[in-house]
Amino acid sequence: MNATFDTIQNLTLCIKSSLYRKEPPLLNFERLFAVVQLAHKYGVDDIVHQGIEALTECYANKDAAYDKPNKLFADLADVHAIGAVHLARLTGTPSIVPVAMLICCKIPRTVISGWKRDDGSVVRLSEADLVQWIVGRETLAKRAVSDYLKVVTCVPSTDCETPNECRERIMDAMATLKQSSYATLGESRIMMGLHTLAGAVRDKLNPRCSTCYYHVPKVEEELLEQVWKDLPGIFEC
């Protein structure tokens, strides 16, 4: 028991330093995962709260899904999202789950096999979470096609300056959709890459028609924002 609390006490210093001063030493996910589990088991609520606060700052933020640098963790990788879901369920912190599940969608094979920790143990999604992850991933893939069509069909816009040319050019964009596989579009949505898909549409537009040219980004931004709003429902968090 003493060894257990010594471990918790030592790791607490690292957590507090990273959370409150944003200075080295940065957190190690493997260590944080271990200490939160341990603290939860022995009812050390303050330590659980600190660990979950660190995870929340990361996984309740869409930046994590865009692979943007994280200032708290030195080693954060996509595979750690499996551990984040596990800790979220363990501690009753559903706000962590949507982005963590979205990141899991990027590593389907690893999600099935599980996250192998340094000690050789393997952490997997629960059966219920695995089912919801599969359903959510499929939902996002289908939505990719639907949203892409919304981007394509928003041209010519109401105030289009060159409707004939814009209409002709958008037909070329439609041809791109026909040439793209369902899986490719689905993966792009899962990677939150609607900007990339709509960018391909915009590249085909007439730059002389400022109305359509700048209308597409507004549409894609609205669609992406809606995805983020719907994410908890998609993964039933």
Side-chain angles (χ1 to χ4, degrees):
M1 180 71 73
N2 289 337
T4 296
F5 280 99
D6 285 345
T7 300
I8 292 175
Q9 187 175 17
N10 290 337
L11 292 176
T12 301
L13 297 175
C14 182
I15 293 175
K16 285 185 176 180
S17 176
S18 296
L19 277 177
Y20 302 116
R21 293 206 303 270
K22 303 294 189 300
E23 296 174 356
L26 293 176
L27 293 174
N28 171 280
F29 190 91
E30 177 80 34
R31 286 185 180 182
L32 183 135
F33 184 86
V35 76
V36 171
Q37 280 196 311
L38 209 56
H40 183 270
K41 179 179 180 180
Y42 291 103
V44 189
D45 294 339
D46 182 53
I47 306 306
V48 172
H49 174 75
Q50 290 175 39
I52 293 302
E53 186 177 347
L55 289 179
T56 299
E57 186 163 329
C58 176
Y59 288 99
N61 190 324
K62 67 177 70 174
D63 283 353
Y66 283 111
D67 294 322
K68 292 185 179 179
N70 183 273
K71 297 178 181 179
L72 288 180
F73 291 89
D75 63 338
L76 200 63
D78 289 343
V79 68
H80 293 143
I82 299 172
V85 173
H86 179 86
L87 291 181
R89 297 308 191 195
L90 180 68
T91 61
T93 317
S95 60
I96 293 173
V97 176
V99 169
M101 283 284 219
L102 181 63
I103 295 172
C104 283
C105 287
K106 297 158 61 177
I107 49 171
R109 295 193 179 200
T110 304
V111 171
I112 299 300
S113 61
W115 165 43
K116 188 173 182 179
R117 296 177 59 196
D118 293 344
D119 62 3
S121 63
V122 178
V123 178
R124 294 184 174 88
L125 296 181
S126 68
E127 183 176 343
D129 277 330
L130 185 60
V131 169
Q132 192 51 51
W133 168 73
I134 293 171
V135 172
R137 193 173 192 273
E138 180 70 8
T139 299
L140 287 171
K142 290 179 178 178
R143 188 160 174 168
V145 178
S146 173
D147 284 356
Y148 183 78
L149 285 171
K150 289 177 183 177
V151 172
V152 170
T153 54
C154 77
V155 177
S157 59
T158 306
D159 300 319
C160 177
E161 299 166 25
T162 55
N164 290 334
E165 184 170 356
C166 285
R167 190 174 294 107
E168 182 178 341
R169 285 175 177 251
I170 209 63
M171 292 303 293
D172 289 339
M174 289 290 287
T176 301
L177 175 61
K178 293 179 181 179
Q179 293 169 2
S180 299
S181 67
Y182 173 86
T184 299
L185 286 172
E187 197 65 26
S188 294
R189 160 55 79 201
I190 290 164
M191 298 290 284
M192 300 310 295
L194 180 60
H195 281 292
T196 302
L197 290 173
V201 174
R202 191 180 182 191
D203 288 344
K204 294 181 181 296
L205 295 178
N206 179 10
R208 290 184 290 107
C209 177
S210 58
T211 304
C212 288
Y213 196 72
Y214 291 103
H215 181 57
V216 168
K218 291 180 181 178
V219 172
E220 68 180 11
E221 184 176 346
E222 290 172 0
L223 291 172
L224 271 176
E225 193 60 35
Q226 191 59 50
V227 170
W228 284 112
K229 289 180 181 178
D230 295 343
L231 211 57
I234 290 173
F235 289 112
E236 292 188 0
C237 301

